[in-house]
Amino acid sequence: MTAIPLRIRKAAVLGAGVMGAQIAAHLTNAGVETVLFDLPAKEGPKSGIALKAIANLGKLSPAPLADKSLVSAIIPANYDEDLEQLKHVDLVIEAIAERMDWKLDLYKKIAPFVSATAVLASNTSGLSITGLAEALPEEMRHRFTGVHFFNPPRYMHLVEVIPTRLTEQSVVEGLEAFLTTTVGKGVVIAKDTPNFIGNRIGVFSMLAAMHHTEQFKLGFDTVDALTGPAIGRPKSATYRTADVVGLDTMAHVIKTMADTLPDDPWHKYFKAPVWLQGLIDKGALGQKTRGGFYQKVGKDIVVLDLEKGDFRPSEQKPSDEVAAILAIKDPAEKFAKLRASGDAQAQFLWATFRDLFHYTAFHLADIADTARDVDFAIRWGYGWKLGPFETWQAAGWQQVAGWIDEDIAAGKAMSNAPLPSWVTDGRSGVHGKAGSYSASTKTDKPRSQHPVYARQLFPDPILGEKFDQGTTVWENEGVRLWTLGDDGVGILSFKTKMNTVNDFVLDGVQQAIRIAEEKLKAVVIWQTGEPFSAGADLKGALGLIKEGKIAEFEKMVANFQATSMAIKFSLVPVVSAVRGMAFGGGCEFQMHSARTVAALESYIGLVEAGVGLLPAGGGLHELAVRAAKANPGDPFEELKKVFETVAMAKVSSSALEAKKMGLLRDSDVVVFNSFELLYIAKQVARSLAESGYRPPLPGRNVPVAGDVGTATFQASLANLQAGYFASPHDIDIATRIADCLCGGVIERGSTVDEEWLLALERKHFVALAQTEKTQARIAHTMTTGKPLRN
C-alpha cells in the first residue's frame, strides 16, 4: 500500500498576517502555487495589504522563504476582486485573526466560490473547529478540518490536524500525507478541544512557571536560566519566549483558555499575572516594542526586577546547588534531589514539573488519542528535547506519581483534582513495546499505520523506542558500511564527532567503496544524526603543520582528494543524503557524489576561507570542471557565479539556496521531511543503479579561464581591499582560490586535465597552511568556535 497525498496544484491562504504570509511562503517553498488573500486596501492597489505582506517576508528572521527569489511566485489577492480564483484552488487555509465572528463571516463569503473538491482548513490556534464548520454549507463540512501550524511555520516541525466528526477520513489521511511529505511536517491528530494539544499543554507549562515564579520569589532571568537548555528546552525558556511571542498575544491565549475552559480544575490560574498585565498596559509588549520582561540597552541585556520596579543587568544562571543537581545524568536521582532540596530554585523546578505532569495526565483522555501525540506535539511545537510524559517516565513513573499524590494531599499542587486511576495502576510509564497509552480507550496503541510513515526508515523516536540498526558489511574506526533490507544499497555512516573527516574516515570511505563495487548495487552516505559533516578534523591537520611534518600534511591532503575521486569515479552510484551542516570536506564529498539528496534545512558551504585555507578536497577542481561543461567557450562566465561564494566562505540558508549558489546541481533532489531523507536517497541510488549507471569519464581536456580570469577576479578584490572590507590575508586567500578555479598561470582557453586542477589545489592549500596568519585563524576557530579576522 502506498500513501496517496492530496494532489494539490494550487493553494490559497486567507489572511496575510504574520502566520498567513509565512504559511503561504512555506507552501511556495514546497512548490505549491499559492494565492495570498486579504482585505481590499483603502488606498493604492486593491491587493495592497497582501502585496505589503509578501514584500515583508524578505525582512523576517529567520527567513520564511528558502530562496528569496520565490517571493515573486506568491500571488497577491483581495476578497473584493479575486474570489473567482478560489474555483481553481485545491486547498484553502484560513489564517485570519482569532475571532469566531470574523471567521464565520469570511466562510459565508467564500463558500460559493470554493471548488467542490477543495479541502478547506482553519489555522486557528484554539477555536472550536466544529463551531467553525457550522458556518459552512452542509456539502462542504466533510472537507473541512483544523490545520494548526506553529510559528515560524518553515522551521517548527509540528502541524496539528483537527478533524470534526463530519470530516471524511480520506480528507484527513490525504492531508496528513501531503503535510508530511510535501510540506515536511510532523503531523499530530488532535481532538477538537480548546487550544488543541500543543498550546493547551505548552501554555499551561508557562502559566505554572509564572505562578511559581511569584510563589518562590525568583527573578525572571533566574527562571529562564532554569527552564531553558538546563532542562532540555530552547534558550528562550519562559520569559524570553513570552517576549518573542508578544505579551499581548500571550494574554490573549490565556484569556481564550479562561473563556473556553470554565470547568477546568486549574481555571483560577488562567489569568495573566498582575505584573504581566501591567507591562501590557504600559505598551511594553515584548520584542515587537523593544521592551517586555527584557530590554536591550546598548550591548547589554537588562531584565525587569519586580521588587525594584526597574530594570537591572540580567544574570542568567542557576544556583550552584541546582546546577549540580541538573548535571546529574540519572533522571530518577535528579528529580529525587530537586524535590528533597531546600533551595528555592530546586523547589520551583520540582513544582513546575509536578503541576505539568498532573495537568497533562488529568487531561490526556480529553485532548489526545495517545500520550505519544502529547509528547510529539510539545517536542515539535515547543522545541523540548523530551515531552512531559517522556520526562516523567524517564524519572521513574510510579515514584513521581507517588510524590504528585503526596503533594496533592498536602495542598501543595496547583489543583486538588485527583490523578486519573490509570496513572497509579502499577504501570512503569505510558510508552512501551506495545505502543503508547490511550486514556480514552484504556489501551496501548502502536504508531500510526498510515502508509506515509513507511517512508520514515528512522522516524523521530519516542522514549525507549529502538529501530533496526541494519547489518554491518564492513567498518573501521571512522566509518560503518551497512545495509537495511535486501535492496543491495549500502549505507555509509561516519563515527566521528560532528561527522568530521579524519584519516580513518578518508581510508574508510575509499575501502567501503571498493567493497561496494564488489558486493552492492549502490551506496548512500547518510549520517545517523545531524550534521552531514562539519568538514575536516582541523586539530590533526594543525598538529602536523606545527610539528613541521609538511610531507605528511601534503599526503593527507592528497588522500582527501583521492577520497573525493573515489566517490566521483565509483563504479556503483554514490548518493549523498545531506541534512544540517555540510561544511568544507563534507560539502566536497556531496559535490563529487553521483547525486545529492538534501533535506530543505541543509546548510552547505565551502567554508575553508574562514579559517585561512581554501577547499582542497577537490571542491575547486569540481567547480572548474562544472564551469567548463556548462560553458566550454567561456568557463569564466560560470565561475563568476561561484567565486564569491567560495572566497567569502558563504553558507546556504537552505538546500534551495545551495542550488542557486552552485553548491548543489539542478539534478540534485530536495526533500522537505528530513525523516524521509534516507528512504528517498535509497530510492534515488537504486534508480541510478537500475538504469545502468556509469561514472563520468575523467576530464582530460578541461577548458579553463586561465591567467586572464584570475586577473579579472583580482581587480574586483582590489575594491574590497581599498574599502577595508578585506585584509591582505583575505586577498591572498581569494587570489589563490581564483588561481585554482581558473586553472593557474596559463593562457585563457587552454585545456588541462583534472589532475592538473587537483595539484593546483594542493599547492595553494599547503602554502596557506604554513602561513602564520592561517595557523592563528585555525587555532582561534578551534578554541572559540568563531572566525578570526587578521
Side-chain angles (χ1 to χ4, degrees):
M1 188 180 175
T2 55
I4 305 292
L6 289 175
R7 297 298 182 201
I8 292 170
R9 187 180 299 280
K10 193 170 184 178
V13 177
L14 312 179
V18 175
M19 274 305 274
Q22 289 192 81
I23 292 168
H26 194 57
L27 289 171
T28 306
N29 288 337
V32 178
E33 188 182 16
T34 304
V35 189
L36 180 61
F37 278 86
D38 210 298
L39 295 164
K42 288 173 183 163
E43 294 172 4
K46 263 286 175 73
S47 297
I49 296 173
L51 277 164
K52 190 176 176 185
I54 293 166
N56 194 49
L57 288 169
K59 299 174 192 164
L60 295 180
S61 178
L65 288 164
D67 170 5
K68 281 181 183 170
S69 68
L70 288 171
V71 72
S72 60
I74 304 172
I75 303 161
N78 68 83
Y79 303 126
D80 273 9
E81 297 175 329
D82 302 311
L83 288 177
E84 286 284 333
Q85 291 202 44
L86 292 176
K87 290 180 177 176
H88 310 291
V89 157
D90 307 304
L91 172 65
V92 180
I93 298 176
E94 169 271 305
I96 69 167
E98 290 290 89
R99 284 269 304 263
M100 181 70 92
D101 53 342
W102 291 0
K103 289 179 189 283
L104 297 180
D105 284 348
L106 180 60
Y107 292 1
K108 283 171 189 159
K109 189 170 190 172
I110 65 165
F113 298 93
V114 176
S115 146
T117 55
V119 171
L120 178 59
S122 175
N123 181 57
T124 176
S125 56
L127 296 177
S128 165
I129 302 299
T130 303
L132 290 169
E134 284 165 10
L136 293 169
E138 210 157 306
E139 66 273 13
M140 287 177 72
R141 293 179 191 177
H142 65 284
R143 289 179 284 110
F144 178 72
T145 183
V147 171
H148 180 217
F149 286 82
F150 276 63
N151 194 14
R154 171 181 160 189
Y155 302 93
M156 296 311 290
H157 192 56
L158 178 64
V159 171
E160 293 172 315
V161 171
I162 312 99
T164 71
R165 58 187 180 78
L166 298 175
T167 313
E168 278 182 9
Q169 191 57 24
S170 62
V171 167
V172 178
E173 288 176 4
L175 198 55
E176 186 171 4
F178 169 76
L179 289 167
T180 301
T181 293
T182 308
V183 189
K185 296 297 160 196
V187 174
V188 168
I189 308 291
K191 294 185 181 181
D192 187 12
T193 55
N195 285 4
F196 315 130
I197 301 173
N199 282 343
R200 180 78 175 268
I201 302 302
V203 172
F204 176 81
S205 175
M206 291 182 78
L207 284 171
M210 288 178 176
H211 168 70
H212 293 303
T213 300
E214 232 166 341
Q215 186 189 357
F216 293 102
K217 297 183 169 48
L218 299 179
F220 299 129
D221 52 342
T222 301
V223 169
D224 278 354
L226 296 171
T227 58
I231 57 169
R233 297 183 191 173
K235 278 185 195 168
S236 55
T238 301
Y239 293 103
R240 278 186 192 278
T241 296
D243 271 357
V244 170
V245 167
L247 305 193
D248 52 340
T249 305
M250 188 79 204
H252 175 76
V253 173
I254 296 168
K255 185 177 183 305
T256 302
M257 285 180 84
D259 292 347
T260 54
L261 296 164
D263 301 324
D264 191 301
W266 284 261
H267 183 268
K268 69 178 177 183
Y269 300 100
F270 298 167
K271 62 177 190 286
V274 174
W275 32 267
L276 175 58
Q277 196 54 54
L279 285 168
I280 294 166
D281 293 343
K282 278 189 205 163
L285 306 180
Q287 202 168 271
K288 58 190 169 189
T289 59
R290 301 200 176 168
F293 293 108
Y294 293 90
Q295 279 183 13
K296 195 167 184 186
V297 178
K299 289 187 176 177
D300 300 322
I301 302 288
V302 293
V303 64
L304 180 64
D305 187 316
L306 282 181
E307 276 188 26
K308 293 180 184 170
D310 200 359
F311 286 84
R312 61 168 171 77
S314 173
E315 302 161 3
Q316 206 165 326
K317 62 175 199 238
S319 69
D320 292 345
E321 182 182 338
V322 169
I325 294 172
L326 292 176
I328 295 168
K329 291 275 188 283
D330 176 22
E333 186 188 345
K334 186 186 301 186
F335 270 82
K337 290 208 165 157
L338 284 175
R339 187 166 189 263
S341 170
D343 186 300
Q345 293 183 18
Q347 287 295 298
F348 164 86
L349 276 173
W350 161 248
T352 51
F353 274 116
R354 172 199 66 214
D355 292 320
L356 170 67
F357 297 160
H358 185 190
Y359 188 82
T360 309
F362 187 88
H363 286 297
L364 174 59
D366 312 331
I367 64 172
D369 185 33
T370 69
R372 184 192 304 105
D373 294 330
V374 172
D375 281 341
F376 278 155
I378 291 297
R379 276 166 48 178
W380 296 342
Y382 278 75
W384 296 11
K385 282 189 178 163
L386 290 177
F389 285 125
E390 290 175 298
T391 307
W392 180 351
Q393 183 167 326
W397 186 269
Q398 288 303 333
Q399 171 179 268
V400 172
W403 291 339
I404 297 170
D405 259 341
E406 283 175 30
D407 282 9
I408 293 170
K412 291 180 180 177
M414 286 169 71
S415 168
N416 61 5
L419 278 173
S421 58
W422 61 263
V423 170
T424 51
D425 65 2
R427 64 178 51 253
S428 58
V430 288
H431 304 301
K433 284 186 179 171
S436 295
Y437 186 67
S438 168
S440 53
T441 62
K442 297 184 171 53
T443 57
D444 289 327
K445 290 192 174 183
R447 279 179 174 266
S448 166
Q449 295 305 298
H450 191 306
V452 75
Y453 298 115
R455 299 166 60 85
Q456 298 187 13
L457 303 179
F458 291 90
D460 201 357
I462 207 83
L463 183 75
E465 211 170 8
K466 297 277 189 285
F467 302 110
D468 181 1
Q469 297 302 301
T471 305
T472 301
V473 177
W474 178 84
E475 64 186 325
N476 70 351
E477 280 184 55
V479 305
R480 175 184 179 228
L481 177 65
W482 53 290
T483 55
L484 191 66
D486 56 2
D487 57 6
V489 177
I491 302 164
L492 186 58
S493 304
F494 299 175
K495 297 180 179 181
T496 47
K497 187 180 178 185
M498 299 284 283
N499 299 317
T500 51
V501 181
N502 60 16
D503 288 338
F504 293 115
V505 171
L506 295 172
D507 294 342
V509 170
Q510 292 177 52
Q511 177 64 8
I513 288 171
R514 283 192 287 271
I515 292 167
E517 288 176 334
E518 287 175 28
K519 297 183 176 178
L520 299 167
K521 292 180 182 174
V523 172
V524 170
I525 303 176
W526 179 80
Q527 314 298 9
T528 53
E530 289 186 23
F532 178 72
S533 174
D537 174 11
L538 291 173
K539 193 176 175 185
L542 188 62
L544 290 174
I545 293 285
K546 292 257 178 185
E547 290 164 28
K549 296 179 177 174
I550 304 305
E552 283 182 45
F553 181 72
E554 279 193 52
K555 198 173 158 190
M556 186 200 80
V557 179
N559 198 30
F560 215 119
Q561 292 181 335
T563 308
S564 291
M565 294 308 104
I567 291 169
K568 180 171 181 174
F569 296 112
S570 165
L571 290 170
V572 294
V574 178
V575 171
S576 286
V578 175
R579 55 183 167 161
M581 293 182 294
F583 289 171
C587 176
E588 289 172 298
F589 283 176
Q590 68 80 24
M591 286 174 72
H592 288 89
S593 302
R595 194 79 85 250
T596 294
V597 178
L600 178 71
E601 300 308 333
S602 293
Y603 311 114
I604 301 173
L606 293 168
V607 297
E608 289 85 350
V611 289
L613 293 166
L614 50 72
L620 296 177
H621 131 280
E622 182 63 17
L623 290 173
V625 170
R626 289 183 190 180
K629 273 189 185 162
N631 192 340
D634 189 5
F636 184 77
E637 282 304 306
E638 296 300 314
L639 293 173
K640 281 197 299 195
K641 299 172 189 173
V642 293
F643 172 66
E644 193 177 299
T645 295
V646 185
M648 297 184 76
K650 287 184 178 178
V651 175
S652 74
S653 62
S654 72
L656 294 182
E657 191 181 47
K659 285 194 173 194
K660 280 274 164 73
M661 291 164 66
L663 299 173
L664 288 179
R665 297 155 290 199
D666 285 345
S667 58
D668 290 332
V669 179
V670 177
V671 172
F672 273 65
N673 194 322
S674 63
F675 293 108
E676 295 185 350
L677 182 67
L678 179 58
Y679 171 87
I680 295 167
K682 287 185 81 183
Q683 296 288 339
V684 169
R686 278 179 59 194
S687 163
L688 287 168
E690 294 297 334
S691 60
Y693 176 80
R694 292 292 304 169
L697 292 169
R700 303 199 192 284
N701 294 293
V702 181
V704 293
D707 49 10
V708 175
T710 305
T712 310
F713 282 135
Q714 278 179 302
S716 66
L717 292 171
N719 295 332
L720 284 176
Q721 191 170 7
Y724 300 102
F725 296 115
S727 69
H729 195 52
D730 291 329
I731 300 298
D732 182 29
I733 297 160
T735 303
R736 291 173 184 273
I737 288 169
D739 193 59
C740 291
L741 288 172
C742 295
V745 187
I746 53 175
E747 277 188 34
R748 183 178 189 165
S750 302
T751 60
V752 299
D753 61 15
E754 292 194 45
E755 183 44 52
W756 171 279
L757 294 168
L758 290 168
L760 265 178
E761 269 187 10
R762 286 197 301 277
K763 179 185 88 172
H764 285 303
F765 186 87
V766 172
L768 280 170
Q770 292 177 76
T771 65
E772 211 174 287
K773 288 191 171 174
T774 284
Q775 289 177 24
R777 286 190 183 193
I778 294 171
H780 185 270
T781 301
M782 281 168 50
T783 311
T784 67
K786 292 175 182 172
L788 170 70
R789 291 295 304 278
N790 60 1

